[in-house]
Amino acid sequence: AVKVAGKGHHRFYQPELFEVIRQRRDIEQNLVAALEEDQFTVYYQPRVDALTGEMCSMEALVRWIHPQQGMVPPLEFIPVAESSGLIAQLGARVIDMVCQQLAQWKSLGLELLPVSINVSAHQFGRGDVDRVLAVALARYGIEGRWIEVEITESAMMGDQNDALGQLAAIRSQGVRLLVDDFGTGYSSLSQLQKFAMDGLKIDRAFTLELGKSKQGEVFIRAILSMAHALGMSVVAEGVETVQQLEILRALQCNEVQGYLISRPVPAEQMLELMRKRFLIDLPEPVLASYCA
Ligand code: C2E
Ligand code: MG
Ligand code: MG
Ligand code: MG
């Protein structure tokens, strides 16, 4: 977008706003057709144990393969799906595809790994995610322990419905709960405990600071000590460099995810990664204090 940067602020040209509105409307119309014609697929990105480099789970990331435009990034259509209400249908479709994929891997005799699924605020706000999950799990004969649900802090805190009750209903199926993009919202210690979250995914923005500023390390160290004290496991998102990985290992972060290990890949490629299991060669961790 063309923007004019003034002193400490940006000004957007008015015509651009209309352009954005027009694009949104186009995407919305296209989304309806895309759901009817089943143009969505799911890519998978591994999460590895920070100590051993062994894959321990993976994240399901929706992909829209438009017949003319090719792959449309989620950040372009998820917000539109949310504001138009189409997210419920799309979200249910993703949950179904993931359970179907797990059943296929199981039929190939593979040892399954948990798959985390993103559930956005509006989806969660409808209050039926627990039932959508139950239906898909039953349909493919998959146990709840193979699914994790990622929700953001703001989705958790939203007051449209009984968030606590819904999270409990999801959890009662053996599904684990993770806070996504942790550090960007406003959840408190007591809330994390009240909502019985199993783990935290530290937002990529904080990983990006590692090795650049002492602040980055201080922040992650604080999250880790808090999470571990509450019995939660911690995943660092967006790990792209060996240096970031080394610092995270020294700080005893539990799991890492990012382009350094693997980009999100189609299911067929994930099959190869599952067979390989150890995705990155790691030396003995240095437990030295990075934060002296
Ligand atoms: P997210 O849940 O925080 O997912 C992580 C995003 O970071 C993914 O982007 C992933 O491809 C990207 N990523 C992973 N490692 C790296 C790295 O090392 N460097 C960089 N720069 N990026 C990395 P993606 O797939 O484009 O998804 C963007 C967002 O769209 C997701 O953020 C999530 O909020 C949303 N999303 C994706 N799939 C779904 C879905 O099925 N349902 C819902 N409701 N939202 C979804
Ligand atoms: Mg996520
Ligand atoms: Mg995230
Ligand atoms: Mg994110």
Side-chain angles (χ1 to χ4, degrees), residues 59-61 116-118 150 180-181 201 237 257:
E59 178 172 6
L61 295 158
S116 64
I117 300 174
N118 292 285
E150 297 190 10
D180 201 1
D181 304 342
K201 298 188 76 175
E237 295 191 286
Q257 174 179 352

Side-chain angles (χ1 to χ4, degrees), residues 101-120:
Q101 188 57 62
L102 279 163
Q104 198 226 335
W105 283 330
K106 194 169 139 188
S107 74
L108 294 173
L110 271 111
E111 229 182 281
L112 294 185
L113 291 172
V115 179
S116 64
I117 300 174
N118 292 285
V119 171
S120 61

Side-chain angles (χ1 to χ4, degrees), residues 33 80-81 95 125 132 173 179 184-185 267:
V80 183
I95 290 170
V132 172
Q173 301 175 52
V179 184
T184 59

Side-chain angles (χ1 to χ4, degrees), residues 226-291:
M226 171 202 84
H228 290 164
L230 293 176
M232 288 186 284
S233 131
V234 177
V235 185
E237 295 191 286
V239 178
E240 294 183 2
T241 71
V242 172
Q243 190 196 19
Q244 290 165 349
L245 178 62
E246 278 172 357
I247 299 173
L248 288 162
R249 295 181 86 212
L251 295 176
Q252 292 178 282
C253 183
N254 304 84
E255 297 172 27
V256 293
Q257 174 179 352
Y259 295 169
L260 178 69
I261 292 101
S262 167
R263 290 198 169 244
V265 295
E268 310 82 65
Q269 246 169 290
M270 179 44 80
L271 185 68
E272 292 165 33
L273 297 181
M274 285 167 88
R275 291 200 167 113
K276 196 171 158 195
R277 282 183 50 199
F278 289 87
L279 303 189
I280 184 162
D281 269 330
L282 293 171
E284 286 292 301
V286 190
L287 290 174
S289 173
Y290 271 85
C291 226

Side-chain angles (χ1 to χ4, degrees), residues 124 149 151-172 175-180 182 186-200 230-232:
F124 193 66
V149 162
I151 59 165
T152 60
E153 292 166 272
S154 47
M156 238 165 85
M157 303 314 151
D159 52 9
Q160 320 93 308
N161 67 93
D162 170 28
L164 195 56
Q166 203 187 158
L167 286 173
I170 294 172
R171 212 163 183 264
S172 72
V175 173
R176 291 175 81 245
L177 303 172
L178 306 177
V179 184
D180 201 1
F182 185 75
Y186 300 97
S187 54
S188 70
L189 270 184
S190 65
Q191 279 163 326
L192 292 179
Q193 195 153 50
K194 186 173 93 184
F195 288 98
M197 302 307 288
D198 297 283
L200 302 181
L230 293 176
M232 288 186 284

